[in-house]
Amino acid sequence: MAPKTLSTLLSPICLPHQLTHFNPSVLKIYTKPTRIFCKSTKSQKTPLSETQLSVSMPEADGAGAAAPTPGEQFLEGQKAFEAAKLVMKAAKKKRRREKQKALKVNSAVVCCYGCGAPLQTSDQEAPGYVDPDTYELKKRHHQLRTLLCGRCRLLSHGHMITAVGGNGGYPGGKQFVSAEGLREKLSHLRHERVLIVKLVDIVDFNGSFLARVRDLAGANPIILVVTKVDLLPKETDLNCVGDWVVEATTKKKLNVLSVHLTSSKSLVGITGVVSEIQKEKKGRDVYILGSVNVGKSAFINALLKMMAQWDPAAAAARKYKPIQSAVPGTTLGPIQIDAFLGGGKLFDTPGVHLHHRQAAVVHSEDLPILAPRSRLRGQSFPNAKTASENGVADKFESNGLNGFSIFWGGLVRIDVLKVLPDTSLTFYGPKALQIHMVPTDKADEFYEKELGVLLTPPTGKEKAKDWKGLEILRELQIKFEDAERPASDVAISGLGWIAVEPVSRSRRKPDLNLGETVKELHLAVYVPKPVEIFVRPPLPVGKAGAEWYQYRELTEKEEELRPKWHY
């Protein structure tokens, strides 16, 4: 092949991009490769040495390196782009893993299966304590996960041992864990892909609802479970209650998959929850979430009992189930339960402590008083017995409750400022809390004298000395349209509720006509600080509830989007 000319060899295609100046006199053509020395256009002051820049000439009968084609350039760009995507994905995954590392439960730390507290052998009074010899024996046989701590053993025998302090904690007793610390243990949920089962106590619906549950659950799907429906008065229509719960949930703007009315004691509604969990779980872990004393551990035990009929994993998990106790804050850490044969785990979580509930202000020894243990029975005022005991039957007949104050234990005081002569107040809550009524002008003296004696909690004069009293006053103006149904409920967070009837059913006349009467009732409610008071639509309970409850007309879109309820 004829050798190429010098101009062809020195064409821009063959030379590097920096070689724009050259001196032909320094070029010599040999049969061997020849070096070309050039100066860089970027730095005219300092020439490059031979070793810094040299280009080999091709063989005389060869061809120079061809420039990459557009196709090759495109492929190289695609390869670089895919490589960059992989690097970014790996970096993002690493950052997420590092962020969650501190928040996740450390599986290397073995916890008590009853309360979730890390096992320890140093402090006998602290949660998680186990006898050192027992600990070493179980450790040797790899059976630490079968250990129950000393606190859980005492709780299982009815002892009231608190362990939570801080915002929403409890006065009295030793405090080992802060309420904020327990909330922090749940903060990782919003970063994970899980299924949330949120529990609400029907007796304390507003106080236990966890309105900001999305702060903990993130965008994860939620199944709403209403517990303790077996405590509602006899002959309550659960169809009306279910509709009422869905309406209340919709007003709170919480999107849920479904609503279930349940009783862990009688197993009402548990089958429906199991079916919904199996349908929506899709391989994810299931977390039971709720405020303290809402019945999470009892619900899990009922859940395992129902699932054990067809799932051997749930049957095996029943042997080491969480401890149930009336003490708020029984569970001190997430408890992992291998309850599903098909993958995914069940977690019992620490209760979220809410500072606005009555349990956050009473002494630890008085906590059992706040927990109803049997079916609720409403106590209505005025009634013939109260009138005769106070010798004010004539006054009731003419003026009703106006000018009277009603004490609900030592925790609530209601002054009746202006109501109709036939207005009645019906109290639904723990039977252990006695209700007393006195004239308003003697209410302060009565409270100071009987606090700790007739008005409990606090129980005993010693605790009454440290009691801060009923510091919060809220004046209520309750309007009503229909005198034949309750106007509203006044719910006391952590305690129960008071149904306000404009005209008592027992005193209602067939030809009732209020005429130009102002349809407004005035009450003043006193509670301890920082307990909250809620005014809500009346909950339809008892036989009468099914008679006056009205279902709202729904549009097609509302019917489609509205969560369904089951029991």
Side-chain angles (χ1 to χ4, degrees):
M1 179 182 291
K4 295 184 181 292
T5 63
L6 183 61
S7 61
T8 302
L9 293 174
L10 298 179
S11 65
I13 296 177
C14 300
L15 295 177
H17 70 280
Q18 289 184 330
L19 301 182
T20 57
H21 297 83
F22 63 92
N23 187 354
S25 63
V26 301
L27 296 176
K28 295 181 181 180
I29 300 176
Y30 298 96
T31 56
K32 297 182 178 180
T34 305
R35 295 177 178 177
I36 303 175
F37 306 103
C38 303
K39 292 183 179 181
S40 172
T41 58
K42 291 186 178 181
S43 177
Q44 296 295 339
K45 296 181 180 179
T46 307
L48 300 174
S49 63
E50 289 187 25
T51 58
Q52 289 175 317
L53 183 61
S54 65
V55 176
S56 297
M57 292 288 292
E59 295 288 347
D61 58 347
T69 64
E72 291 174 337
Q73 291 177 344
F74 175 77
L75 290 176
E76 288 296 325
Q78 286 296 106
K79 289 179 181 179
F81 178 71
E82 292 298 327
K85 280 177 62 177
L86 290 174
V87 171
M88 293 292 291
K89 185 177 180 180
K92 187 176 180 180
K93 189 174 181 180
K94 183 179 179 181
R95 286 196 302 270
R96 188 187 301 118
R97 189 164 53 246
E98 290 175 350
K99 184 177 181 180
Q100 297 179 6
K101 188 175 180 181
L103 298 176
K104 283 192 175 182
V105 180
N106 187 358
S107 58
V109 178
V110 182
C111 299
C112 167
Y113 74 80
C115 67
L119 295 178
Q120 50 91 14
T121 58
S122 56
D123 189 349
Q124 293 189 27
E125 296 184 354
Y129 175 79
V130 179
D131 179 72
D133 295 336
T134 305
Y135 184 89
E136 290 300 327
L137 179 64
K138 292 291 185 180
K139 183 179 180 181
R140 196 178 308 124
H141 292 86
H142 306 285
Q143 296 178 340
L144 286 177
R145 297 190 182 276
T146 65
L147 279 175
L148 196 66
C149 73
R151 173 176 176 266
C152 285
R153 293 184 184 279
L154 292 174
L155 288 173
S156 64
H157 287 85
H159 294 266
M160 306 300 292
I161 306 172
T162 58
V164 183
N167 184 25
Y170 311 98
K174 288 196 173 183
Q175 317 297 338
F176 296 97
V177 185
S178 70
E180 294 83 355
L182 291 184
R183 288 193 194 94
E184 187 63 28
K185 291 184 179 182
L186 301 175
S187 61
H188 68 92
L189 293 181
R190 60 178 175 265
H191 303 297
E192 297 185 5
R193 185 175 172 269
V194 299
L195 175 64
I196 301 294
V197 179
K198 175 189 171 183
L199 269 58
V200 180
D201 183 353
I202 189 62
V203 179
D204 184 27
F205 184 85
N206 297 79
S208 64
F209 191 81
L210 290 183
R212 299 180 62 185
V213 68
R214 286 295 178 191
D215 291 349
L216 297 173
N220 288 306
I222 295 176
I223 299 172
L224 181 64
V225 174
V226 181
T227 62
K228 306 179 184 180
V229 296
D230 58 305
L231 296 178
L232 293 175
K234 287 183 179 180
E235 301 184 53
T236 295
D237 188 344
L238 293 184
N239 292 300
C240 298
V241 175
D243 187 77
W244 183 91
V245 170
V246 171
E247 282 291 311
T249 305
T250 305
K251 288 180 180 178
K252 292 179 181 291
K253 299 182 179 179
L254 177 65
N255 295 323
V256 297
L257 298 175
S258 57
V259 174
H260 299 262
L261 307 181
T262 67
S263 166
S264 301
K265 186 177 181 180
S266 63
L267 300 184
V268 168
I270 300 297
T271 303
V273 180
V274 173
S275 176
E276 188 76 3
I277 289 176
Q278 296 289 3
K279 174 186 172 183
E280 300 292 342
K281 185 166 68 70
K282 301 174 183 176
R284 294 176 288 196
D285 291 336
V286 179
Y287 281 78
I288 310 300
L289 199 66
S291 61
V292 292
N293 259 30
V294 79
K296 292 185 298 301
S297 298
F299 171 76
I300 287 177
N301 291 339
L303 204 66
L304 293 176
K305 184 176 181 179
M306 189 64 66
M307 292 171 57
Q309 298 177 16
W310 62 82
D311 193 333
R318 290 191 66 198
K319 187 175 181 180
Y320 303 107
K321 54 190 179 183
I323 286 290
Q324 294 177 231
S325 170
V327 176
T330 298
T331 305
L332 298 176
I335 301 175
Q336 177 181 310
I337 304 169
D338 299 324
F340 305 112
L341 191 62
K345 301 186 184 301
L346 181 68
F347 285 86
D348 187 9
T349 62
V352 179
H353 291 255
L354 303 174
H355 70 282
H356 58 72
R357 303 180 76 192
Q358 288 281 8
V361 298
V362 303
H363 194 277
S364 57
E365 295 178 4
D366 291 329
L367 290 174
I369 299 176
L370 302 181
R373 299 183 180 277
S374 58
R375 194 179 291 274
L376 300 179
R377 294 182 62 183
Q379 291 182 263
S380 297
F381 291 84
N383 55 55
K385 182 180 178 182
T386 307
S388 60
E389 287 178 354
N390 291 272
V392 290
D394 295 338
K395 187 175 180 180
F396 276 146
E397 195 66 33
S398 61
N399 207 27
L401 291 173
N402 288 293
F404 281 88
S405 295
I406 303 175
F407 289 95
W408 200 0
L411 302 177
V412 182
R413 168 182 166 179
I414 299 178
D415 290 350
V416 182
L417 305 179
K418 183 182 179 182
V419 296
L420 302 179
D422 295 326
T423 296
S424 71
L425 305 180
T426 305
F427 292 73
Y428 295 93
K431 292 181 181 178
L433 262 67
Q434 297 184 12
I435 303 176
H436 299 273
M437 186 169 65
V438 297
T440 301
D441 55 3
K442 299 180 180 179
D444 292 337
E445 180 184 351
F446 178 79
Y447 186 76
E448 185 178 349
K449 178 183 177 181
E450 300 297 342
L451 183 64
V453 183
L454 287 179
L455 303 178
T456 59
T459 304
K461 283 295 184 181
E462 288 299 321
K463 295 188 183 73
K465 290 180 181 178
D466 300 328
W467 182 251
K468 295 182 179 179
L470 308 178
E471 300 176 296
I472 293 182
L473 164 63
R474 183 175 174 187
E475 294 189 1
L476 307 178
Q477 297 181 5
I478 301 173
K479 297 182 179 180
F480 65 94
E481 295 295 332
D482 187 357
E484 296 187 359
R485 62 192 302 270
S488 65
D489 287 345
V490 178
I492 310 299
S493 182
L495 189 60
W497 75 95
I498 304 127
V500 182
E501 290 185 90
V503 178
S504 173
R505 289 178 60 86
S506 61
R507 306 179 69 180
R508 193 173 300 161
K509 300 175 183 178
D511 56 345
L512 177 65
N513 184 9
L514 298 180
E516 299 297 324
T517 305
V518 177
K519 297 181 178 181
E520 192 171 84
L521 310 175
H522 294 251
L523 304 173
V525 183
Y526 298 80
V527 292
K529 187 179 181 180
V531 173
E532 286 194 12
I533 302 165
F534 303 94
V535 179
R536 70 187 190 192
L539 177 64
V541 295
K543 185 178 180 179
E547 297 175 2
W548 58 255
Y549 187 74
Q550 297 175 350
Y551 292 89
R552 185 169 64 88
E553 292 289 336
L554 301 174
T555 63
E556 290 185 6
K557 185 176 182 180
E558 286 178 326
E559 187 70 39
E560 182 182 350
L561 298 177
R562 199 170 188 252
K564 302 295 184 292
W565 55 267
H566 314 268
Y567 69 87

